[in-house]
Amino acid sequence: MSNKSELLAMSRRALLRGAATTAAAAIAGTAAAQSAINEVINAPRRGNWDDQFDAKASRTDVSAISNSPVLSPSNQVNLLQAIGDYQAIVANGGWPMVNSGVKLRIGVVDPSVRVLRQRLMISGDLARSAGVSDSFDSYVDGAVKRFQARHGLPEDGVLGEFTLKAMNVSADVRLSQLNKNLQRLEGMKEDLGQRYIMVNIPAAYVEAVENDTVALRNTAIVGRESRQSPLVDSKVSDIILNPYWTAPRSIVKKDIVPLMQKDPTYLARNNIRLFDNKGQEVSPESVDWFAAEAPNLMFRQDPGKINAMSSVKINFPSPDAVYMHDTPTQGLFNKLMRFESSGCVRVQNVRDLVVWILKNTPTWDRQHIEQVIASRVNTPIPVVDPPHVHWVYITAWSAKDRVVQFRDDIYQLDGDAQLALQTTAGIEQISGSVEDDILPQ
């Protein structure tokens, strides 16, 4: 039996042995939890504390960050523990809904803060010793930031639209989400590889993992709902520095031809050249751009800064012909909703990932990689000791003891509409169509 199987078997046995205790605790916990809340509510001198507006805005005892990979076998044990915790929360009546006519942030004094404090205590983001009052002090600020970190939201300590929506997903729905994701983790193969790249699609980020430790994390842009990124189980085959970008037939018909009708310089400005089926270059001036059918030619963009894949393409076998790559539109990585590609994954700071992939490939150190990229010469690199590639759909996990992470169910696979509340809100519409990446403008 593998270490993973032994670990999970032991965890399940322990869980079963403690089932009676857990059930009893869940039933008795209602009175205990209410007693604890009443205790802090009625505690003396729990009002406008002297330090409530101090400069230390974050008073988080436990960080939400972990070097444990999302797919680590130990995380299934953590997830089982989280399920037990949330079963107790649901048995105790869940948590209150937070509503306010004012935007809650540090410095605000409002009756709704009292409910907010209770909500954060129940989910473990705020210590019960912080007390319950109407004041949004530095303790609450730190707790809100911790909550935001656990939900993949900007850690600004402000209850904006997205934070409030995530906070008001009910406890029983979160419990169902945890169970659904435990099934996903249990369904994955045991041997992920000593070195592997994981793309967690709902979280829109990449982990480079070695020896069950995260060596690198990168922000990503993944497929939007109408053109979803698929699940992948593969292995890196090669890396291309300064890749060519070949426009798919659909984008030629829908976008490039109309653009050429309006602006005959479009192809030249974007370094896109035409080739016939014999590999001979064709002059754009020789093409009838107003013909009924789009020209049956290959539209290939030369390597360079404005190339749709920019400096790097990471290849691996895939039935869906997807890959990972750089992008010239780096500003998209700053967005909260990074679900805008057509299935392929764009990676921020992709050169760091390339250095890690090529660490065992002779001569390809960071300096050499940068020199080749600067040359603008198309350069394929076979990879020695290629890492595995796993694109997964995990919306809830626990990579650290009692620190549970949740993400939006962007493809609506978790079975509850509450979990997809943020799927489309706030997503900036991209002009033109998108296929492998943003159409060069």
Side-chain angles (χ1 to χ4, degrees):
M1 183 181 288
S2 68
N3 291 337
K4 174 182 175 183
S5 299
E6 291 174 356
L7 184 61
L8 288 175
M10 291 173 60
S11 300
R12 290 187 180 282
R13 287 196 296 270
L15 193 67
L16 289 172
R17 284 197 303 268
T21 303
T22 302
I27 296 170
T30 304
Q34 188 58 52
S35 175
I37 291 178
N38 288 338
E39 181 180 326
V40 292
I41 289 175
N42 298 320
R45 303 183 65 182
R46 290 298 186 188
N48 295 325
W49 300 321
D50 292 339
D51 68 341
Q52 65 178 348
F53 304 131
D54 68 16
K56 295 182 179 179
S58 182
R59 293 176 176 267
T60 305
D61 293 331
V62 181
S63 171
I65 305 299
S66 171
N67 284 331
S68 178
V70 169
L71 302 184
S72 173
S74 63
N75 289 348
Q76 294 192 34
V77 178
N78 292 337
L79 201 54
L80 285 168
Q81 182 185 61
I83 288 171
D85 290 342
Y86 275 69
Q87 286 173 336
I89 290 173
V90 171
N92 291 336
W95 46 60
M97 298 296 103
V98 180
N99 297 291
S100 176
V102 298
K103 182 170 286 190
L104 299 180
R105 61 197 309 162
I106 192 165
V108 170
V109 178
D110 188 84
S112 58
V113 177
R114 183 175 295 265
V115 179
L116 172 62
R117 284 175 176 268
Q118 294 175 354
R119 165 66 176 86
L120 293 169
M121 286 178 185
I122 293 171
S123 59
D125 295 297
L126 179 65
R128 295 189 186 278
S129 59
V132 176
S133 75
D134 294 345
S135 300
F136 196 125
D137 57 25
S138 58
Y139 292 94
V140 179
D141 180 74
V144 170
K145 288 177 179 176
R146 184 181 189 274
F147 175 90
Q148 290 169 328
R150 294 194 303 106
H151 292 76
L153 297 166
E155 298 169 44
D156 58 8
V158 178
L159 258 72
E161 175 189 1
F162 299 129
T163 300
L164 195 59
K165 285 180 177 178
M167 196 165 285
N168 283 334
V169 174
S170 62
D172 60 328
V173 170
R174 289 300 188 195
L175 175 59
S176 174
Q177 187 178 14
L178 288 168
N179 280 305
K180 182 74 173 179
N181 282 274
L182 179 62
Q183 293 173 12
R184 290 179 181 138
L185 289 173
E186 289 177 335
M188 292 180 184
K189 68 179 187 180
E190 294 186 10
D191 184 13
L192 299 172
Q194 183 180 3
R195 291 209 314 150
Y196 66 85
I197 299 167
M198 182 218 66
V199 175
N200 189 2
I201 297 167
Y205 77 69
V206 180
E207 287 183 349
V209 179
E210 191 161 7
N211 297 320
D212 200 36
T213 300
V214 177
L216 192 68
R217 277 197 181 97
N218 299 70
T219 300
I221 296 168
V222 301
R224 60 192 184 275
E225 186 179 359
S226 60
R227 298 188 187 182
Q228 299 178 7
S229 294
L231 302 183
V232 169
D233 184 7
S234 187
K235 191 180 250 188
V236 173
S237 56
D238 62 287
I239 287 173
I240 301 178
L241 302 183
N242 301 315
Y244 292 101
W245 178 73
T246 301
R249 186 68 180 166
S250 60
I251 208 169
V252 169
K253 290 180 179 180
K254 296 177 182 178
D255 298 285
I256 293 181
V257 168
L259 285 167
M260 284 299 290
Q261 291 172 352
K262 296 177 182 179
D263 177 12
T265 69
Y266 172 79
L267 292 179
R269 286 190 296 101
N270 287 282
N271 298 329
I272 298 174
R273 296 192 288 165
L274 307 179
F275 296 88
D276 61 22
N277 56 9
K278 297 180 180 179
Q280 299 296 314
E281 188 168 358
V282 176
S283 170
E285 288 77 18
S286 67
V287 176
D288 180 5
W289 296 103
F290 291 89
E293 292 293 329
N296 188 23
L297 299 169
M298 179 175 71
F299 288 65
R300 192 183 73 181
Q301 188 181 32
D302 289 337
K305 288 185 177 181
I306 64 172
N307 181 280
M309 290 184 290
S310 192
S311 64
V312 172
K313 179 183 181 185
I314 302 171
N315 283 324
F316 43 85
S318 164
D320 300 284
V322 291
Y323 47 86
M324 302 166 69
H325 61 98
D326 194 4
T327 175
T329 51
Q330 294 290 313
L332 293 175
F333 291 113
N334 296 325
K335 297 177 66 175
L336 174 59
M337 300 296 175
R338 300 187 304 278
F339 314 114
E340 302 193 352
S341 83
S342 290
C344 292
V345 172
R346 309 174 213 167
V347 183
Q348 189 177 34
N349 300 321
V350 70
R351 298 183 195 186
D352 294 340
L353 182 60
V354 168
V355 170
W356 180 82
I357 293 171
L358 296 176
K359 63 183 291 186
N360 298 322
T361 302
T363 78
W364 286 103
D365 56 15
R366 181 66 180 247
Q367 184 177 6
H368 189 192
I369 291 168
E370 296 292 351
Q371 287 174 345
V372 172
I373 290 174
S375 74
R376 305 292 182 219
V377 175
N378 178 264
T379 306
I381 307 172
V383 180
V384 175
D385 185 26
H388 292 254
V389 178
H390 307 291
W391 291 14
V392 300
Y393 193 88
I394 304 294
T395 62
W397 70 95
S398 179
K400 197 171 184 178
D401 184 25
R402 283 189 159 81
V403 180
V404 188
Q405 298 270 349
F406 293 103
R407 295 297 185 271
D408 287 339
D409 178 21
I410 62 170
Y411 297 160
Q412 301 181 43
L413 302 179
D414 284 352
D416 195 294
Q418 285 190 61
L419 300 174
L421 280 173
Q422 299 176 38
T423 299
T424 56
I427 295 181
E428 181 178 317
Q429 296 300 312
I430 302 172
S431 59
S433 299
V434 179
E435 192 68 32
D436 294 329
D437 209 303
I438 294 178
L439 175 69
Q441 298 299 308

